[in-house]
Amino acid sequence: MWKNWFVSLILIIVSATLAAVTASPALSERLKIFGLPLGSNLADLGHLIEQHILEFVKWQTPISVFFYSLLTYVLYKLYQILFSPLYFVRKQGDVGYIIDGNSVSKKDVANDIKRRRKAGDVPPVYPNGWFRVIESRFLKVSEVKYVSMLGQELAVYRGENGEAHVVNAYCPHLGANLGVGGQVKGNCIECPFHGWLFRGEDGKCVNIPYASKVPEFAKIKSWPSIEMFGLILMWYHAEGAEPLWIPQEFANFKNMRYQGYTEHVVNAHIQEVPENGADLNHLTHLHTPFLMSGADLRYSSKSFWDWIKHGWDGYWQQDEDNKHIGQLFLKHHLSFFGVEIPIGTVNVVATQIGPAIVLLNFKTILGTACMVHSITPVEPLLQKITHSIYVDGFIPTIGGKFLLWAEAIQIERDLMIWNHKTYIQKPLLVKEDNLIAKHRRWYSQFYSENSPRLTFQKDTLDF
């Protein structure tokens, strides 16, 4: 996005300079006074450009004007494809559901399925760990955002020193939402209702404009947070424990180039998503059809592209030194009419850090790419899934965007499963499914005694 603005800005500056010099002989003379003979040259250049433009316009027909306009549009779109990061956001109901007819909206279908589906005997809905609050690039200095997640209402802001803070949204005075209208003052956040000022690092109130003294107990909860992987992460623990581990930055991340972002919403329990990493058998069934077959499972396995197949080999294991880390080692290969093509071989190491952050490292013939995968519980059975991609080496922008798009297609196939499935606490497994049981035992460490569980409440008197 910034490249588009930069190119436009340069063109505006050049055009304005030429126009100013052309229209103002005084400015041209002033440039000469400062020892800049460039002034007269610019004036001559400006006149020359003006003559050419007038001559060009004079001989144009409506057809040629349309042609040049179309060419300009095509070139701009080509520039976006080749050099601009990918931004791809799917809202609830956009994918993963079957829409019959036009009388019902996508959102209504999603809500209806969500209401009727049997959730099953799900684990606690909010595990303990680090969770994505917002992408770093989406929070500017002195900016405040309101975020709802993990059963909490939060205000996240970036102080004037550039440091991000996550605090409870509601002011303890009279309950105003700091994330809606709150202002950053220095490195504190100011309540929009009465101007109470709270410090980000500990939530302490440091100023009440109309009070002679600030009570010691005047404070809001400040959540432990860090900025890593291009994300602002918040630590959540049901018992209020301090962070039990700190995620480690992966090598070479700061030297990699950002190439885009995708976002999806899924109606499922959070554990359903990372459990896919240990369910290797679903890869050979759900994700074998070629990308161009699409994400609709009714048609993806019966398309024109049956002669191209994805193949997968791998295994999942817990990290021996860090029990909060699990790793999936995966090899992807591509085959045409049953013949494997070397250029389609990609080695992937997916490192899951806690319950909700996964780093996927892709090794290709052109270089290395890293995809940051995050899951944020918006509600007990509603998750926001995001992917950001970074590349190094000789991987061009279009290459990074292709990997991100490919991941989006594959995860949208999973969405059609997750949105409709029930959670079976004691599934019927065969010996080839042993990694699923192993992953569930590993994931159980992120639940504790007070981890909130799914509850149902009848909101009406209808029977």
Side-chain angles (χ1 to χ4, degrees):
M1 183 66 70
W2 69 267
K3 290 183 179 179
N4 297 340
W5 285 104
F6 179 74
V7 171
S8 300
L9 181 62
I10 292 298
L11 292 174
I12 291 171
I13 292 173
V14 171
S15 301
T17 303
L18 292 174
V21 173
T22 303
S24 174
L27 179 57
S28 179
E29 292 300 322
R30 196 174 299 118
L31 289 172
K32 291 180 181 179
I33 292 174
F34 282 100
L36 298 174
L38 189 62
S40 60
N41 295 336
L42 281 175
D44 293 339
L45 179 60
H47 287 303
L48 184 62
I49 291 175
E50 181 182 16
Q51 291 174 7
H52 278 288
I53 290 175
L54 291 174
E55 191 70 20
F56 175 79
V57 173
K58 177 181 177 181
W59 292 102
Q60 295 316 301
T61 65
I63 295 178
S64 61
V65 170
F66 171 78
F67 171 77
Y68 285 118
S69 299
L70 180 62
L71 179 61
T72 302
Y73 176 79
V74 170
L75 290 175
Y76 174 70
K77 284 298 181 182
L78 189 61
Y79 166 79
Q80 283 189 314
I81 293 172
L82 295 177
F83 302 108
S84 297
L86 173 67
Y87 290 97
F88 187 71
V89 176
R90 294 283 207 178
K91 297 181 180 179
Q92 185 177 4
D94 283 352
V95 292
Y97 294 98
I98 298 174
I99 312 297
D100 291 326
N102 299 319
S103 59
V104 182
S105 70
K106 295 178 180 178
K107 188 174 182 180
D108 287 339
V109 170
N111 286 331
D112 184 54
I113 296 295
K114 182 180 179 182
R115 177 180 58 83
R116 291 189 289 107
R117 187 190 60 182
K118 294 181 179 179
D121 189 9
V122 298
V125 291
Y126 301 139
N128 302 321
W130 291 97
F131 295 87
R132 163 204 165 273
V133 181
I134 194 173
E135 273 62 31
S136 297
R137 64 183 51 82
F138 296 159
L139 188 69
K140 301 175 183 177
V141 171
S142 297
E143 189 174 16
V144 182
K145 298 277 190 179
Y146 168 49
V147 178
S148 179
M149 57 183 281
L150 292 161
Q152 309 295 326
E153 307 305 310
L154 307 170
V156 54
Y157 73 94
R158 193 180 295 283
E160 292 180 3
N161 66 352
E163 186 176 348
H165 300 283
V166 182
V167 298
N168 275 2
Y170 298 128
C171 178
H173 176 216
L174 284 174
N177 192 319
L178 303 178
V180 181
Q183 300 292 317
V184 174
K185 303 291 183 181
N187 298 312
C188 300
I189 185 170
E190 181 186 70
C191 176
F193 203 6
H194 296 88
W196 288 36
L197 199 63
F198 298 92
R199 199 162 52 201
E201 54 264 31
D202 57 8
K204 180 76 173 62
C205 182
V206 296
N207 183 52
I208 302 175
Y210 53 86
S212 59
K213 183 180 179 181
V214 177
E216 284 296 321
F217 54 83
K219 63 184 303 183
I220 55 177
K221 180 175 177 59
S222 176
W223 295 81
S225 62
I226 57 175
E227 203 157 354
M228 190 174 286
F229 318 129
L231 306 175
I232 296 171
L233 303 175
M234 180 191 90
W235 172 261
Y236 171 88
H237 196 282
E239 278 77 32
E242 291 298 310
L244 303 178
W245 75 86
I246 301 294
Q248 294 181 348
E249 194 82 90
F250 57 89
N252 201 37
F253 175 74
K254 293 182 178 179
N255 297 322
M256 301 182 85
R257 308 185 310 278
Y258 171 75
Q259 302 296 343
Y261 164 88
T262 65
E263 180 180 304
H264 293 83
V265 177
V266 57
N267 286 312
H269 188 276
I270 182 174
Q271 187 174 318
E272 300 275 21
V273 180
E275 191 169 286
N276 258 21
D279 184 9
L280 299 181
N281 294 308
H282 96 284
L283 294 174
T284 56
H285 184 78
L286 190 65
H287 298 293
T288 291
F290 186 52
L291 293 171
M292 298 303 294
S293 301
D296 192 325
L297 303 184
R298 294 172 296 173
Y299 313 114
S300 60
S301 61
K302 305 173 184 178
S303 75
F304 165 79
W305 301 96
D306 283 349
W307 51 280
I308 310 178
K309 302 285 186 183
H310 297 282
W312 314 86
D313 300 297
Y315 62 95
W316 181 91
Q317 68 180 23
Q318 177 182 333
D319 187 279
E320 295 181 359
D321 299 321
N322 302 284
K323 68 175 186 177
H324 63 276
I325 292 179
Q327 287 189 307
L328 169 65
F329 298 87
L330 198 63
K331 182 178 181 180
H332 167 271
H333 50 85
L334 198 64
S335 61
F336 288 66
F337 297 104
V339 179
E340 188 174 326
I341 306 301
I343 196 173
T345 300
V346 179
N347 292 299
V348 185
V349 178
T351 302
Q352 180 167 354
I353 306 172
I357 305 294
V358 181
L359 306 180
L360 296 98
N361 283 278
F362 298 82
K363 290 192 178 298
T364 71
I365 60 174
L366 294 178
T368 302
C370 181
M371 198 176 293
V372 182
H373 163 88
S374 71
I375 318 161
T376 301
V378 181
E379 297 175 6
L381 296 180
L382 182 66
Q383 319 299 325
K384 180 177 288 187
I385 303 174
T386 66
H387 292 85
S388 300
I389 192 165
Y390 301 81
V391 301
D392 66 5
F394 296 99
I395 299 180
T397 298
I398 190 69
K401 291 168 69 173
F402 174 79
L403 284 174
L404 191 58
W405 170 79
E407 180 69 16
I409 293 296
Q410 295 290 18
I411 204 166
E412 286 178 5
R413 293 178 182 176
D414 290 309
L415 282 173
M416 203 164 187
I417 300 294
W418 292 328
N419 284 338
H420 296 83
K421 76 185 297 295
T422 188
Y423 183 87
I424 300 179
Q425 187 182 46
K426 296 181 179 180
L428 177 60
L429 302 176
V430 296
K431 66 176 182 179
E432 287 80 6
D433 293 320
N434 66 310
L435 287 179
I436 297 176
K438 186 176 180 180
H439 186 276
R440 288 193 173 190
R441 289 193 297 271
W442 172 81
Y443 201 90
S444 66
Q445 68 179 295
F446 304 119
Y447 303 122
S448 53
E449 182 180 356
N450 294 317
S451 292
R453 290 190 170 273
L454 184 65
T455 57
F456 295 92
Q457 178 178 351
K458 195 167 184 61
D459 298 318
T460 71
L461 297 179
D462 297 330
F463 293 94

